[in-house]
Amino acid sequence: ESTIELIFAAFATTASASTSLIMQLLRHPAVLEKLREELRSCGLLHDGCLCQGELRLDSIISLKYLDCVIKEVLRLFAPVSGGYRIATQTFELD
């Protein structure tokens, strides 16, 4: 039962996070365009289509704006109810 629960939880959270990401990108076209620009600058997007070839880990790691967008979506829309993110250290904003 625990294994089935873990598999379901992994599937549900990925689906939920992906849906939230798509929803927010559609609501914020400027962010979507900036992501497209980042993908183009890394050679991963041409004429609206993903490039042929191998997607490498170093290419994915270099996508800093995409990383920020995904983290912000996860902050705003936690994929698991009650799984809220907390600061790991005290900080002051402004």
Side-chain angles (χ1 to χ4, degrees):
E1 285 182 24
S2 296
T3 303
I4 297 296
E5 185 177 327
L6 286 173
I7 292 170
F8 176 75
F11 172 78
T13 55
T14 303
S16 174
S18 299
T19 301
S20 296
L21 176 64
I22 292 168
M23 181 181 71
Q24 291 306 305
L25 288 175
L26 291 173
R27 286 186 177 172
H28 302 280
V31 173
L32 178 57
E33 186 53 37
K34 191 168 179 180
L35 281 174
R36 286 179 175 153
E37 288 174 21
E38 182 179 53
L39 292 171
R40 282 186 202 105
S41 72
C42 290
L44 297 174
L45 187 70
H46 292 287
D47 299 324
C49 298
L50 288 176
C51 295
Q52 298 289 330
E54 191 176 319
L55 184 60
R56 300 177 48 88
L57 182 60
D58 57 335
S59 298
I60 295 171
I61 290 171
S62 71
L63 300 171
K64 301 299 182 192
Y65 188 69
L66 176 61
D67 186 51
C68 291
V69 169
I70 291 171
K71 287 177 180 175
E72 182 66 4
V73 168
L74 291 174
R75 185 186 71 81
L76 292 171
F77 304 97
V80 176
S81 180
Y84 305 105
R85 294 171 176 254
I86 59 171
T88 56
Q89 58 183 307
T90 303
F91 67 96
E92 281 189 36
L93 183 61
D94 291 333

